[in-house]
């Protein structure tokens, strides 16, 4: 018994230890002299004692007991799993006198089996994630499913956040926890206390692009690196795992897993699994983003074709009707019978509609040049006053029809600009102000100071809602319905690109019903590399 490598223990009928060999002492760290006379239950985990008692009772009652596995507590480390084979020793009367158990330490085998099961679950999670990611292009729904699966397999809690479009804030897109009330609490906290990308422990992950694993999350770490509003959010969390979401080496969010009290700390295997899932999630998000952009492009194209066909048809229809009317009148009395005033009116209509068509076509050509990076600038000494006067003349008829007057206030401003393009900027801004100015006066102010020139166009019309102001400088975008106001939605887009090609900027200040103020800021001398060069940077933006 002493020299065998197997564990051998002899118990009396009361389950007290009679013999405790060297292997038993080695596994448990309890010497034989201490263990003998002590109930075997002192080295059996509390949650396994009832099952072990049942085996011994069956052995005493029937003289036979099946093989079983039970852990033995150890003073030198974690409990060891032992596989036991049992038998009885009888006295001369045939009664059971002793119980003999022979055991083998199978902890290594059990750990290997557990590792295999864990690996199988991880592979299952990865396979499911791949199926989910491939099943649709709505990444929010996809991430909800992945977060729920992560909470089940690794969690206990899972959080996925992405950076806002401006990169300044973290936006939660999925919050999961096995307890619904905990998930609801975390959603309320995240909504009430939004987090900047530069705040908290996640900033380290976003900056480095590397996974952060904290096996034991201390209260000190929570106090020092978490927002005070998040303390209820992290209540009971003992381990933390944060993986970045990145695409083409650009981090745009993170996945966080939180282990509740009583659970084992996160391991390197958990970290590897989360990194794999984060990589797959990032690809799904990128695919969804590209798909969304493609859908938006198709919608923009369809809307543009609808608007463009209407805008082009309107002057063509007016031109055709004017010419048909002239033909009809001339056919009755001959060309010599046409009154000069009538001919002048028809020709004036034809000229205006032709100019309108020319403007539409020119705008489309400019958009094409900008998109291809071929918006060339012919820089020369240019007087801003002349550009403004040209623009006022261009919109004179349009302003008269709208009932608006244009008031100009200016001071000398000369710079090295593209004269025609600068006049185009002023014309587009004035035309825009007249169109949406509700028949009220439009003010134009220009001048220069400290090497920079400015042009300000102010109207007192319908104004622009703040939520729509970011989109009005984009192609085919407008803040109002195209049914009520004509145009292709290209004027401000062209203004922005021309101004930026000169090294300047344009901005708008407005609110609904309070008019709009468009301000252009230009350097009087172009930045290095722009003098006479193509404005490639405009297309890149």
């Amino acid at each position: 018994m002493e020299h065998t490598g197997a564990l051998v223990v002899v118990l009396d009928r009361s389950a007290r230890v009679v013999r405790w060999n060297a292997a038993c002492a080695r596994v448990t760290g309890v010497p034989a002299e201490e263990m003998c006379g002590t109930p075997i239950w002192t080295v059996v985990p509390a949650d396994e004692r009832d099952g072990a008692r049942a085996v011994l009772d069956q052995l005493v009652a029937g003289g036979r007991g099946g093989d079983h596995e039970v852990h033995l507590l150890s003073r030198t480390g974690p409990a060891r799993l032992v596989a036991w084979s049992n038998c009885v020793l009888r006295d001369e009367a045939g009664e059971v006198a002793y119980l003999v158990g022979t055991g083998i330490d199978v902890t290594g085998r059990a750990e290997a089996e557990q590792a295999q099961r864990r690996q199988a679950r991880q592979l299952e999670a990865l396979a499911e994630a791949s199926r989910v990611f491939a099943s649709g292009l709505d990444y929010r729904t996809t991430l909800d499913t992945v977060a729920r699966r992560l909470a089940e397999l690794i969690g206990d809690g899972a959080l996925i956040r992405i950076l806002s479009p401006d990169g300044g804030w973290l936006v939660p897109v999925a919050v999961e926890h096995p307890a619904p009330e905990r998930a609801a609490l975390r959603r309320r906290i995240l909504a009430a206390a939004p987090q900047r990308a530069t705040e908290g422990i996640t900033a380290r992950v976003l900056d480095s692009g590397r996974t952060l694993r904290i096996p034991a999350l201390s209260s000190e770490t929570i106090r020092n690196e978490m927002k005070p509003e998040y303390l209820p959010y992290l209540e009971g969390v003992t381990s933390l795992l944060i993986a970045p979401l990145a695409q083409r080496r650009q981090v745009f969010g993170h996945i966080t897993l939180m282990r509740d009290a009583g659970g084992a700390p996160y391991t390197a295997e958990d970290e590897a699994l989360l990194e794999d899932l984060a990589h797959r999630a990032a690809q799904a998000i990128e695919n969804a983003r590209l798909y969304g952009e493609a859908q938006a492009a198709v919608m923009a194209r369809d809307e543009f074709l609808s608007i463009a066909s209407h805008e082009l048809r309107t002057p063509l229809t007016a031109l055709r009707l004017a010419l048909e009317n002239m033909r009809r009148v001339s056919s009755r009395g001959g060309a010599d019978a046409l009154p000069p005033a009538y001919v002048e009116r028809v020709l004036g209509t034809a000229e205006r509609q032709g100019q309108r068509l020319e403007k539409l076509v020119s705008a489309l050509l400019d958009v094409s040049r900008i998109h291809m990076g071929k918006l060339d600038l012919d820089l020369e000494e240019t007087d801003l006053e002349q550009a403004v006067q040209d623009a006022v003349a261009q919109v004179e008829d349009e302003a008269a029809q709208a009932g608006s007057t244009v008031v100009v206030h200016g001071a000398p401003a000369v710079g090295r600009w593209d004269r025609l393009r600068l006049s185009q900027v002023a014309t587009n801004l004035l035309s825009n102000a007249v169109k949406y100015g509700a028949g009220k006066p439009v003010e134009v102010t220009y001048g220069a100071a400290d090497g920079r020139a400015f042009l300000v166009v102010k109207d007192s019309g319908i104004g622009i809602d703040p939520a729509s102001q970011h989109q009005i400088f984009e192609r085919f975008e407008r803040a109002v319905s195209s049914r009520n106001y004509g145009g292709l939605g290209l004027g401000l887009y062209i203004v922005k690109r021309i101004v930026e090609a000169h090294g300047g900027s344009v901005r708008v200040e407005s609110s609904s019903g309070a008019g709009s103020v468009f301000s252009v800021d230009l350097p009087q001398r172009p930045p290095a590399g722009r003098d006479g060069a193509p404005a490639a940077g405009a297309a890149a933006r």
Side-chain angles (χ1 to χ4, degrees):
M1 288 177 59
E2 291 304 315
H3 295 288
T4 180
L7 288 78
V8 180
V9 59
V10 179
L11 308 177
D12 62 16
R13 290 174 59 94
S14 300
R16 295 180 182 276
V17 176
V18 176
R19 296 292 300 271
W20 186 255
N21 77 339
C24 289
R26 184 177 62 254
V27 168
T28 62
V30 182
E33 56 270 21
E34 180 180 338
M35 197 64 199
C36 288
T38 303
I40 189 64
W41 316 123
T42 60
V43 292
V44 176
D47 59 343
E48 298 184 36
R49 290 172 187 171
D50 289 344
R53 280 196 180 96
V55 172
L56 295 186
D57 290 344
Q58 181 182 3
L59 191 61
V60 171
R64 301 177 62 184
D67 297 344
H68 71 290
E69 294 181 355
V70 67
H71 284 87
L72 291 183
L73 300 174
S74 174
R75 293 178 177 177
T76 58
R80 309 295 294 180
L81 182 64
V82 180
W84 295 97
S85 179
N86 306 304
C87 64
V88 298
L89 294 179
R90 301 179 182 276
D91 59 16
E92 295 178 353
E95 299 292 331
V96 174
Y98 300 102
L99 311 175
V100 180
T102 303
I104 299 175
D105 186 348
V106 294
T107 306
R109 184 206 69 192
E111 290 176 347
E113 291 175 350
Q114 185 178 9
Q116 287 182 332
R117 288 192 295 270
R118 183 167 58 248
Q119 186 178 23
R121 290 197 303 270
Q122 292 175 349
L123 292 174
E124 178 187 355
L126 292 175
E128 181 175 350
S130 297
R131 289 194 298 271
V132 171
F133 285 145
S135 64
L137 289 168
D138 182 352
Y139 76 86
R140 286 182 178 269
T141 301
T142 297
L143 292 179
D144 280 338
T145 303
V146 172
R148 182 169 59 253
R149 190 62 174 149
L150 283 171
E152 294 170 354
L153 291 177
I154 307 177
D156 301 305
L159 165 66
I160 302 177
R161 293 191 292 190
I162 61 173
L163 290 173
S164 60
D166 60 7
W169 298 88
L170 283 167
V171 181
V173 294
V175 181
E176 289 294 336
H177 193 278
E181 63 277 7
R182 291 286 292 168
L185 171 65
R186 289 175 174 175
R187 292 189 187 99
R188 289 197 300 271
I189 293 174
L190 289 168
Q195 182 175 329
R196 293 186 180 276
T198 55
E199 294 178 332
I201 202 169
T202 51
R204 281 194 268 164
V205 176
L206 298 177
D207 289 341
S208 67
R210 297 179 179 177
T211 302
L212 175 64
R213 177 164 58 95
I214 304 179
L217 184 62
S218 66
S219 56
E220 181 180 0
T221 299
I222 294 176
R223 286 194 305 270
N224 294 339
E225 301 202 51
M226 306 292 182
K227 295 182 67 173
E229 299 91 334
Y230 286 2
L231 294 182
Y233 177 95
L234 294 167
E235 182 180 356
V237 175
T238 57
S239 189
L240 203 63
L241 188 56
I242 308 174
L245 289 168
Q247 189 69 17
R248 293 191 293 271
R249 298 183 180 179
Q250 184 70 33
V251 177
F252 61 86
H254 70 90
I255 298 178
T256 296
L257 297 183
M258 292 157 281
R259 176 65 47 79
D260 290 342
Y266 287 122
T267 65
E269 291 180 356
D270 296 328
E271 181 177 341
L273 172 60
L274 183 59
E275 286 180 339
D276 197 330
L277 281 170
H279 175 69
R280 297 172 192 235
Q283 289 181 319
I285 293 175
E286 179 70 4
N287 290 339
R289 184 187 67 79
L290 294 174
Y291 179 72
E293 289 181 355
Q295 281 190 315
V298 171
M299 292 177 61
R301 180 204 64 189
D302 292 343
E303 183 179 3
F304 163 71
L305 291 175
S306 174
I307 295 172
S309 62
H310 171 75
E311 290 296 322
L312 293 171
R313 187 184 298 116
T314 300
L316 285 173
T317 300
L319 181 60
R320 179 175 56 80
L321 290 175
L323 295 175
E324 286 180 354
N325 190 39
M326 178 179 281
R327 180 184 294 115
R328 186 169 56 253
V329 172
S330 65
S331 65
R332 290 200 299 264
D336 295 337
L338 294 175
Y342 173 77
V343 173
E344 181 65 26
R345 186 171 67 253
V346 172
L347 292 177
T349 299
E351 183 179 13
R352 285 194 301 273
Q353 300 306 324
Q355 290 174 347
R356 184 175 176 182
L357 282 172
E358 183 180 6
K359 288 181 180 179
L360 291 172
V361 174
S362 295
L364 293 173
L365 289 174
D366 283 341
V367 170
S368 177
R369 293 188 188 102
I370 292 170
H371 185 69
M372 297 174 65
K374 295 182 178 180
L375 182 64
D376 297 339
L377 299 180
D378 184 11
L379 302 181
E380 59 182 343
E381 288 297 313
T382 302
D383 190 341
L384 184 54
E385 178 183 8
Q386 185 61 52
V388 172
Q389 289 178 354
D390 291 344
V392 172
Q394 286 284 333
V395 302
E396 186 176 8
D397 290 344
E398 187 178 348
Q401 291 178 6
S404 293
T405 57
V406 179
V407 182
V408 180
H409 308 281
V414 178
R416 191 164 176 76
W417 304 306
D418 185 314
R419 183 177 60 83
L420 294 178
R421 291 298 184 187
L422 190 59
S423 177
Q424 187 178 7
V425 167
T427 301
N428 285 358
L429 290 177
L430 276 172
S431 179
N432 189 74
V434 168
K435 181 188 296 184
Y436 301 111
K440 298 177 182 179
V442 174
E443 296 183 27
V444 181
T445 307
Y446 63 88
D450 300 327
R452 302 192 73 83
F454 62 88
L455 171 65
V456 180
V457 178
K458 178 181 179 182
D459 68 71
S460 302
I462 62 175
I464 306 169
D465 185 89
S468 302
Q469 291 178 15
H470 71 282
Q471 70 186 34
I472 60 174
F473 291 105
E474 299 301 323
R475 285 182 300 173
F476 316 124
E477 293 288 353
R478 60 186 71 231
V480 294
S481 172
S482 59
R483 296 179 181 179
N484 301 322
Y485 296 89
L488 296 175
L490 295 174
L492 293 178
Y493 169 78
I494 294 173
V495 165
K496 181 178 174 67
R497 295 307 184 265
I498 292 176
V499 170
E500 289 179 344
H502 281 85
S505 63
V506 58
R507 68 180 188 278
V508 61
E509 297 177 14
S510 182
S511 58
S512 297
S516 304
V517 179
F518 286 86
S519 302
V520 174
D521 174 77
L522 288 171
Q524 289 179 270
R525 291 293 179 267
R530 291 184 183 267
D531 198 347
R541 284 185 293 271

